[in-house]
Amino acid sequence: MTETYKPHVLAPEPPKKSYRWWWIVGSIVVALLVALLVALFFPLSTKSKTVFVYIDKDDNVDSVFHKTEAVAQPLSLTPLRLLVTAFGYADHVRPGRYALPSTTGSLFFFRTLRNGQQEAVHLTVPVVRSMDQMAERLGASLMCSEKEWQAAFNDTVLLRKYGVTKATLPMLFVPNTYDVYWTTTPEKFLARMAKESDLFWSLEREGKAKKAGFTPAEIVTIASIVEQETAYGPEKSAVAGMYINRLHKGMKLQADPTVKFALGNFGLRRILLEHLKVNSPYNTYMYEGLPPGPIGVPSVESIDAVLDYQHHNYLFMCAKEDFSGSHNFAETYEAHQANAKRYTDALNARGIK
């Protein structure tokens, strides 16, 4: 029997899987991840040096971004927004002064914000003529407003915690530069100043004050007058000695700066008889002894000049007629009148009223 020939038919090959689509998708994903990583670590700031972002107690996520946008690379803001959303930053906005170095990426800056890692302020406590001026300076340098500082300086209950009154408050402030957080509250700042004041008033300084017959608060009060009487350092101890001589003799201080303080007019160039009539315990032409407290925050130089005051017999002083900022001293009233006439003539010659 003859076999029928059947041609050999190859079975159809299964269709090949297409990897092209997956390759495209994978490449896009990798590219996006690389772009995200680059953006996370790419410098966020557009500046060449460290800048600071200030987050207030009333700020929210939107205002934080608005402040960051002012100094940030657009490329790095998108990952920063993703981080904020992913990690719930809206519930962790912390006020502060945050450093943004030129090399910092979004990831590290976000961690700084979320953890509240503030950069300290190098705050200089200045020599000022009133606590209103101090409030103005602190309000310009720290988060709390000038009004908040003024309210604290008038809070008798708060001041009592640190052993001072509104009148003696200036003695807490020792002019220097301190590292404090921008968000420091008035209460915390006063606590810091009280601590610094305690450190300043060492046993040596307290001993000198006691030997002179004064308390530290009284020494600072005298120093605040000396501070405003002369800017010439070498003369300060002589000015201090003159005032201490008057106090020891029961004489009125008759210090012009106290009259300016009583009037609240620090720009007076010439004290007239009408100015001496102001009825204030700070008017040392009217009242004997020291005023109720310092008439400002004096420098450390002035405080030490009082502690190391010159021992002499001078009871009077008058600004020199050459307007150098130094003074003529006198032991007698007659000699003082001659010095005062020369100074008055110089004022008249210059038309100073």
Side-chain angles (χ1 to χ4, degrees):
M1 182 174 181
T2 305
E3 293 183 356
T4 304
Y5 174 76
K6 293 181 179 181
H8 180 71
V9 179
L10 296 175
E13 294 183 3
K16 293 183 179 181
K17 293 182 178 180
S18 176
Y19 293 97
R20 184 178 180 183
W21 185 80
W22 288 105
W23 184 86
I24 293 174
V25 171
S27 298
I28 293 174
V29 170
V30 170
L32 289 174
L33 287 174
V34 171
L36 179 61
L37 287 173
V38 170
L40 284 172
F41 294 96
F42 187 78
L44 176 60
S45 174
T46 59
K47 308 299 180 181
S48 60
K49 61 181 181 179
T50 297
V51 294
F52 297 93
V53 177
Y54 293 83
I55 309 301
D56 294 312
K57 52 191 173 185
D58 297 327
D59 274 323
N60 54 31
V61 172
D62 291 335
S63 58
V64 170
F65 269 111
H66 180 71
K67 291 179 176 181
T68 307
E69 283 174 345
V71 294
Q73 303 272 10
L75 176 65
S76 296
L77 283 175
T78 298
L80 186 59
R81 286 187 180 276
L82 292 175
L83 287 168
V84 164
T85 303
F87 291 94
Y89 176 64
D91 298 324
H92 296 85
V93 176
R94 298 184 180 183
R97 174 181 182 262
Y98 296 99
L100 178 55
S102 59
T103 57
T104 297
S106 298
L107 176 61
F108 292 101
F109 186 60
F110 169 73
R111 289 173 59 187
T112 298
L113 290 177
R114 196 175 191 280
N115 295 334
Q117 295 173 327
Q118 292 190 60
E119 188 80 8
V121 175
H122 303 304
L123 177 71
T124 297
V125 171
V127 173
V128 293
R129 287 185 161 182
S130 71
M131 295 311 296
D132 282 343
Q133 289 183 355
M134 182 66 75
E136 180 182 1
R137 297 286 287 274
L138 293 176
S141 303
L142 301 175
M143 184 178 70
C144 290
S145 68
E146 178 181 346
K147 289 185 178 179
E148 289 175 291
W149 289 104
Q150 287 176 335
F153 294 163
N154 287 282
D155 187 337
T156 56
V157 176
L158 175 61
L159 299 183
R160 195 179 301 126
K161 290 176 61 176
Y162 307 110
V164 295
T165 64
K166 182 180 176 181
T168 60
L169 172 61
M171 74 164 293
L172 282 189
F173 293 80
V174 180
N176 206 337
T177 299
Y178 304 96
D179 284 345
V180 300
Y181 286 125
W182 182 68
T183 52
T184 297
T185 63
E187 183 170 359
K188 288 184 178 180
F189 188 70
L190 286 175
R192 172 70 181 278
M193 291 297 96
K195 181 180 178 181
E196 297 293 342
S197 179
D198 288 342
L199 292 173
F200 175 79
W201 283 100
S202 61
L203 290 176
E204 181 183 5
R205 284 193 171 101
E206 284 189 342
K208 289 181 178 180
K210 186 176 181 180
K211 184 177 179 180
F214 302 102
T215 65
E218 290 170 333
I219 291 292
V220 175
T221 299
I222 299 171
S224 69
I225 297 173
V226 171
E227 181 74 39
Q228 295 179 40
E229 281 284 19
T230 181
Y232 183 47
E235 187 183 64
K236 288 186 176 183
S237 60
V239 175
M242 190 275 298
Y243 281 126
I244 289 175
N245 286 346
R246 295 180 74 89
L247 288 169
H248 285 167
K249 288 182 175 292
M251 299 173 64
K252 292 177 181 176
L253 290 181
Q254 296 184 331
D256 289 356
T258 66
V259 178
K260 295 179 183 180
F261 184 86
L263 292 168
N265 186 348
F266 303 113
L268 283 175
R269 295 288 303 276
R270 191 170 185 173
I271 301 297
L272 305 175
L273 288 176
E274 63 188 72
H275 298 139
L276 303 182
K277 296 177 183 179
V278 57
N279 189 6
S280 166
Y282 287 91
N283 182 356
T284 57
Y285 278 86
M286 182 176 291
Y287 294 96
E288 294 180 2
L290 288 170
I295 58 171
V297 175
S299 63
V300 171
E301 179 188 37
S302 292
I303 295 173
D304 285 337
V306 177
L307 291 172
D308 297 317
Y309 70 95
Q310 284 187 21
H311 294 262
H312 52 57
N313 296 319
Y314 296 131
L315 292 172
F316 305 94
M317 59 178 282
C318 180
K320 285 187 176 179
E321 61 278 8
D322 60 3
F323 298 98
S324 62
S326 56
H327 294 77
N328 288 314
F329 294 88
E331 295 183 17
T332 66
Y333 184 64
E334 291 73 22
H336 172 64
Q337 282 185 309
N339 292 334
K341 184 179 185 306
R342 289 199 298 273
Y343 181 64
T344 299
D345 291 344
L347 288 174
N348 292 335
R350 294 196 179 193
I352 298 175
K353 298 181 179 179

